[in-house]
Amino acid sequence: MCGIVGYIGAKEKKEILLDGLQELEYRGYDSAGIAVIEAEHLNHFKAVGKLSNLREKTKEFHTDGFGVSIGHTRWATHGKPTELNAHPHLGQYSYVVHNGIIENYSELKKELQANGVAFLSQTDTETIVHLFERYNAVAASPFDAFKQTIERLHGAYATLLITEAAPETIFFAKNGSPMLIGLDGSDIYFASSDTPIIGKAKEVYYLEDGEFGYAKEGKIHLFDRNGVRQIVTRALASDKAMAQKEGYRFFMEKEIYEQSSVMSDTMIGRVKEDGVVFEELDEGFFDGIEQIKICACGTSYHSGLTASYLLERLAKIPCSVEIASEFRYKEPLLLPNTLFVTISQSGETADTLEALKMAKKAGLKSLSICNVDNSSIVRESDGVILTRAGIEKGVASTKAFATQAMVLWMLSLHLAKLRSALSPQRVAEEISAMLHTPKALIVSDELHGRLHRLSKRYLHGHGFFFIGRDIFFPLALEGALKLKEISYLHAEGYPAGEMKHGPIALADSELFTIALMPKTLHYEKIKSNVEELSARDSTILAISPEPFDLADDFIQTLSAAHPMLEFFEMMVVTQLLALEISVRLGNDVDMPRNLAKSVTVE
Ligand code: AGP
């Protein structure tokens, strides 16, 4: 979802901007643009669609010598994905890029139009550049004008502005959307996340909400509403190799195959012989906690639902799970002694972040389960457990989900021990199962080949029902979400026992049932549910260690000793099924239509 890059210095700016935007492609976008001021001269280019279109348009354009530059990938919110709506937005002599939503933009727009300003785009962003130029006509300095502009904005934003009125300066502000500043000597970079500046900047500063300022002559001038702020940078990691495809056809495919090894990273130093430890959490972090509320979106919500079964079963602690966008507006009862747990791959999901802020305001202790260190959600939380999945580039989340589920299982066991909820023997059994997880996630050629062959029978029909019980219900939801995201076929996840209460009316041979039939949890119950569907002619793809006579197609999983091992094995099957169907349909597996990797608007 919208990505920002910026650079001040003497290096070739076009390449820095385009390469940086490429690194942000995974966030999702539908148009892109860049603007450069060099020798007091403004240039800008925009293109709809993929970055390659912008590259083509800028083929003949080269920068030379010192200058300031900004770039943007836009995921449309206000106005269609057209060139006019693409960023940077131009005033008379300034350009702006923005990520987020200016909530009071229509009020600001009316005010500006009443003063004779003509708008070119339908975006909320364009108000920023016109407001700036209006204030700049009378302000003591361009920075004063920028400050006055920022004071007028309501909503979430990360923004960069360049202007011929201060041709050696980039103005910046952040509130609610991510932005960081990278430094390498007098070269200064801006970006929405680490990846565009890895290998370029040596140090980094992650802007806090409410911070703004300007960069000029190799220096950052940082402020918030109380005045000057000190900038304390930290060293920037350099781990981009992880983000390459390494011979796989798609990032998603690579990420599915990686799950086995990243799971070991997730466990290392945490899963011990006699229990789970989280050194990253202060001693006594869970003292006084009597219930848990989990809040998340999408795939992360599904791992949260999985956790609700595990936390209650293993740790005997009440747990409720909420979709963040619902939670925010339901006037929730936030009771003391509740631990507020947010789960997020990106750490930037606007709804989850805002829910977290609400919980904090209500005085709740917070814990985030996240894959991106220093992300907004991580910085906002009292405690953090990183999932250590490595950079996930496929928009459809796979290894992030797997590692979230693992961390939540580990958390359940950690709490079970703290609360003396399980016998030492039961703890030992859980630990032993955890240590077998990497094995359960290995993708064999045989399995992948079988799913490839079988996928050709699932390219049509009037819908898919993924069904499961207990923790296999959230897995069914996740399986259906994966298929929807990358195949664009209609799929639903349903609790198997609920089918007879309505959805079974849809059953016929064109309704595909993907049945998750683990041997370790309620096998006989789910078997009856699937039999009911088969009796009504639904086409059944059964996934189970136990051969099932009524299945039209069958994927045999290994007989596992623990429900979570079956869970992870079946997760891989559903991911590969979605992948193979998507490939056969000729879809863009890594960047499915209409989706963004990091959803930074509500
Ligand atoms: C996952 O495949 C999805 N693209 C999406 O549902 C995602 O999980 C959701 O937007 C939440 O993102 P987060 O984990 O980064 O907070």
Side-chain angles (χ1 to χ4, degrees), residues 229-275:
R229 299 262 300 150
Q230 202 57 37
I231 197 164
V232 184
T233 58
R234 60 177 81 174
L236 179 67
S238 54
D239 144 63
K240 220 160 27 178
M242 289 286 283
Q244 307 307 323
K245 276 191 206 145
E246 290 168 15
Y248 291 98
R249 295 170 296 171
F250 311 99
F251 280 112
M252 182 186 173
E253 186 176 40
K254 171 174 166 269
E255 286 155 7
I256 292 171
Y257 275 75
E258 268 171 4
Q259 292 178 119
S260 171
S261 61
V262 296
M263 205 52 104
S264 307
D265 296 341
T266 305
M267 287 191 285
I268 211 155
R270 291 167 169 167
V271 179
K272 313 261 181 188
E273 220 172 286
D274 57 346

Side-chain angles (χ1 to χ4, degrees), residues 80 179 443:
K80 288 193 179 310
M179 172 119 81
V443 183

Side-chain angles (χ1 to χ4, degrees), residues 297-300 343-349 352 377 395-398 404 478 481-482 485 595-599:
C297 302
T299 286
S300 299
I343 308 171
S344 176
Q345 182 282 129
S346 62
E348 302 295 350
T349 302
T352 311
I377 288 175
V395 165
S397 187
T398 51
Q404 285 168 353
E478 177 57 12
L481 181 67
K482 276 310 72 97
E485 285 186 297
L595 296 182
K597 182 71 183 161
S598 177
V599 185

Side-chain angles (χ1 to χ4, degrees), residues 36-55:
V36 177
I37 303 182
E38 224 175 38
E40 301 191 15
H41 192 70
L42 262 165
N43 270 299
H44 82 279
F45 302 88
K46 301 183 189 192
V48 173
K50 299 279 174 199
L51 266 178
S52 50
N53 301 343
L54 186 62
R55 279 198 189 274

